[in-house]
Amino acid sequence: MATAYLTQVMKRRCTSFVISDFYDRKDFSKEIEIANRKHDLIAIQVYDPRAKVLPDVGLMKVHDAETGHEMYIDTSSAKLRRAHTRYWLDREEALKHTFSKSKVDWTAVATNEDFTKSLMMLFKQRA
């Protein structure tokens, strides 16, 4: 993750923004914690709201942009859609826990919303 690079390269304390979807199979909590001890780290999660809830559109071809893996899923399955939503919620809870434990200020911004409101609330909390 970029925070390990930041920690190695930046010698003086700085305020750094990490803008990401934070989808990572690797546990990055230690890197975030170390970077935030050395710098003032602010995390901004950007996500597509369609990632929260799968639409019921029947067979859908999905592609993992990082691994290149492709497969078909049947979105007409209510069980699959519930499992997907549960996965999203669990992942969000783990992310909140990681940022809280590391004392990193963060906000989440959906790609279909105005980011200024979320950022203004974040900076108001930091003041």
Side-chain angles (χ1 to χ4, degrees):
M1 184 168 224
T3 51
Y5 181 76
L6 169 72
T7 304
Q8 293 172 355
V9 174
M10 294 298 296
K11 301 303 176 196
R12 300 175 85 191
R13 183 168 176 78
C14 68
T15 299
S16 296
F17 292 86
V18 178
I19 302 171
S20 174
D21 60 4
F22 294 99
Y23 272 102
D24 201 327
R25 289 183 176 93
K26 189 179 115 195
D27 179 19
F28 56 84
S29 59
K30 196 67 173 169
E31 291 176 17
I32 293 259
E33 191 174 331
I34 292 167
N36 197 48
R37 268 192 257 133
K38 189 171 182 182
H39 305 289
D40 179 19
L41 205 63
I42 301 168
I44 301 172
Q45 178 193 21
V46 179
Y47 68 93
D48 185 332
R50 293 175 291 186
K52 284 183 177 183
V53 179
L54 275 178
D56 181 357
V57 293
L59 284 180
M60 176 188 289
K61 186 177 183 178
V62 293
H63 175 86
D64 185 327
E66 292 183 18
T67 65
H69 178 73
E70 292 182 345
M71 65 185 286
Y72 285 92
I73 59 173
D74 184 5
T75 62
S76 64
S77 166
K79 184 177 178 181
L80 174 75
R81 291 193 314 274
R82 279 193 306 275
H84 178 80
T85 300
R86 171 61 24 218
Y87 172 77
W88 170 269
L89 294 172
D90 290 347
R91 199 182 134 280
E92 285 298 292
E93 197 57 41
L95 199 54
K96 287 178 190 177
H97 177 73
T98 296
F99 291 137
S100 175
K101 182 180 170 208
S102 304
K103 297 179 177 65
V104 171
D105 293 329
W106 76 285
T107 191
V109 179
T111 55
N112 68 340
E113 68 183 26
D114 182 4
F115 63 90
T116 55
K117 185 178 178 182
S118 295
L119 292 179
M120 293 301 287
M121 287 178 27
L122 174 68
F123 292 130
K124 192 174 190 177
Q125 290 171 351
R126 289 176 52 89

